[in-house]
Amino acid sequence: MNEALSKLRDDEEIYRLVLYYSFFNYPLKFDEILKTCPSVRDGETLNRIVNVLIKEGLLVEKNGYLGINESQLQIDQRIADENRLEKAKSKIERSIKVISRFPFVKSVMISGSVSKGVLKEDGDVDFFIITKNNRLWLTRTLLVLNKKVLRLNSRKYFCVNYFIGENELAIPDENMFTAVELNSLIPVYNVEIYKDLLSANGWASNYIQPNSYLHADMEINVSSSRTKRFGEWLLKGAFGESLDRRLKKLTLKRWKKKFSHFGDEEFELAMRSERNVSKHHPSNFQLQILHHLENGMKEYQQKSNKANLYKQE
């Protein structure tokens, strides 16, 4: 045994975090691990554990970046993607303003790769949207129509793929994928609801600490819109209620046909469609990443056990 780690939990959590991002070939900086790892909250402890993992060949460090199989190419790609995001911020802000002014939109957050500080060359800007309860499908349809008609169906800066109602903030998928995506959201319109969302999903802090403050400069102020107020007044009664139910039914029928290759469980995970939940993830990265984590952690356990890396308590 070269050096003992004080706790199994600490080294596993550090490795699991780096492993998660390795799925995207995304190396992490030391301070990013420190700010997001749930159990290791001081730099001295983190530095000690990371040094052991590097010494045993379980992590690789290069130019201040940590990864499972680190390379200069991955580092260069991350820097290029960060620069691409910086150049795209004005376009993203315009999308935020458009989305937030639609009827029944209560809060807007950025998810996906942009919430991690990068925009890949072939990537989209993903939005996580909270709507008024029982108007989700109406709101979603209006936003999708805007994308198809006015944006020629381009998702580059306008990918609206996850909606929940304001009274349905608890997300049932309690796993590493959901925790990372939830706690890395960037609130850009109505931050108070974002705080409520984190509170309703406190379990996620067992996997990763919220880190949206890393990109807090992306929050914007949106003035009240007459069109939004008029739309909400027009659709507030029985007509709006009926239309919302009808649109949910039509959308779900189309998705069931389009994604008929999904089994019931996979469809529920990737395309969840409830009265106040709409999830449109046809690539089902969640399942792929969870498998990546499961296999990677099994391999880590085998290697760390062989190296006698930590104390048995």
Side-chain angles (χ1 to χ4, degrees):
M1 180 173 69
N2 296 321
E3 183 176 348
L5 299 181
S6 60
K7 291 182 180 180
L8 168 63
R9 178 179 175 85
D10 289 350
D11 69 280
E12 280 191 319
E13 287 187 347
I14 292 168
Y15 188 86
R16 182 177 60 181
L17 185 62
V18 177
L19 178 65
Y20 182 93
Y21 283 95
S22 74
F23 181 87
F24 303 98
N25 294 317
Y26 184 92
L28 292 174
K29 299 176 184 177
F30 182 92
D31 67 318
E32 291 171 337
I33 298 174
L34 184 62
K35 289 175 180 177
T36 55
C37 192
S39 66
V40 182
R41 309 301 295 158
D42 69 273
E44 183 178 349
T45 300
L46 177 60
N47 190 59
R48 178 175 61 81
I49 297 173
V50 166
N51 283 338
V52 174
L53 296 178
I54 292 173
K55 187 176 182 180
E56 293 294 338
L58 294 165
L59 289 182
V60 178
E61 185 274 335
K62 188 176 182 64
N63 296 333
Y65 290 87
L66 290 164
I68 305 299
N69 297 297
E70 198 54 274
S71 71
Q72 189 60 48
L73 180 62
Q74 291 177 344
I75 296 171
D76 292 343
Q77 188 60 60
R78 173 174 168 171
I79 294 172
D81 293 341
E82 289 173 339
N83 292 335
R84 186 178 296 106
L85 173 60
E86 192 63 33
K87 294 176 182 178
K89 279 189 175 180
S90 60
K91 294 180 180 178
I92 296 173
E93 287 180 359
R94 286 198 290 273
S95 293
I96 295 167
K97 290 178 180 179
V98 169
I99 293 170
S100 62
R101 286 172 175 158
F102 267 70
F104 306 115
V105 170
K106 307 295 290 186
S107 184
V108 180
M109 302 159 207
I110 293 175
S111 60
S113 62
V114 174
S115 70
K116 319 303 186 298
V118 297
L119 177 60
K120 296 187 177 297
E121 188 172 6
D122 59 349
D124 304 321
V125 180
D126 298 311
F127 288 98
F128 184 99
I129 300 169
I130 298 178
T131 72
K132 179 179 175 60
N133 255 38
N134 300 330
R135 293 296 183 276
L136 183 152
W137 293 93
L138 200 160
T139 306
R140 184 189 184 283
T141 301
L142 291 174
L143 284 166
V144 170
L145 285 174
N146 176 277
K147 175 177 71 81
K148 289 182 179 295
V149 176
L150 299 182
R151 299 170 182 268
L152 304 178
N153 206 29
S154 172
R155 301 179 302 171
K156 183 67 176 179
Y157 301 104
F158 204 90
C159 187
V160 287
N161 58 15
Y162 206 147
F163 294 76
I164 60 173
E166 60 183 330
N167 296 333
E168 303 287 340
L169 300 182
I171 297 176
D173 308 314
E174 297 187 10
N175 55 51
M176 181 68 173
F177 173 85
T178 307
V180 172
E181 297 309 305
L182 178 67
N183 280 6
S184 61
L185 288 171
I186 303 175
V188 291
Y189 171 62
N190 200 345
V191 177
E192 292 306 312
I193 294 184
Y194 165 74
K195 295 176 181 177
D196 293 339
L197 177 67
L198 292 183
S199 179
N201 295 280
W203 59 267
S205 63
N206 294 321
Y207 293 89
I208 185 172
Q209 293 297 316
N211 64 351
S212 62
Y213 56 83
L214 295 175
H215 309 290
D217 60 317
M218 294 189 72
E219 181 185 348
I220 65 172
N221 293 318
V222 180
S223 58
S224 179
S225 164
R226 291 182 179 179
T227 303
K228 179 172 184 171
R229 294 197 301 270
F230 176 73
E232 292 177 346
W233 171 81
L234 183 67
L235 299 167
K236 68 180 180 180
F239 174 66
E241 181 85 8
S242 175
L243 184 57
D244 189 83
R245 290 182 181 276
R246 179 63 175 167
L247 289 170
K248 174 186 179 293
K249 185 177 180 180
L250 290 172
T251 304
L252 181 55
K253 181 179 179 181
R254 182 167 60 85
W255 285 355
K256 285 284 190 181
K257 182 178 180 180
K258 184 175 181 180
F259 303 105
S260 59
H261 57 286
F262 284 169
D264 291 342
E265 186 175 345
E266 190 174 3
F267 187 90
E268 167 65 14
L269 188 65
M271 310 294 295
R272 183 170 295 131
S273 306
E274 300 172 2
R275 185 69 201 281
N276 287 295
V277 180
S278 172
K279 186 178 181 182
H280 185 266
H281 293 166
S283 297
N284 204 358
F285 274 124
Q286 179 169 185
L287 192 60
Q288 296 179 48
I289 293 172
L290 291 178
H291 286 161
H292 171 74
L293 286 171
E294 182 181 6
N295 294 332
M297 290 307 294
K298 285 180 180 178
E299 184 178 348
Y300 172 77
Q301 286 284 357
Q302 293 172 356
K303 289 181 178 179
S304 58
N305 281 333
K306 186 176 181 180
N308 197 16
L309 196 62
Y310 46 78
K311 292 178 181 178
Q312 298 298 327
E313 299 182 338

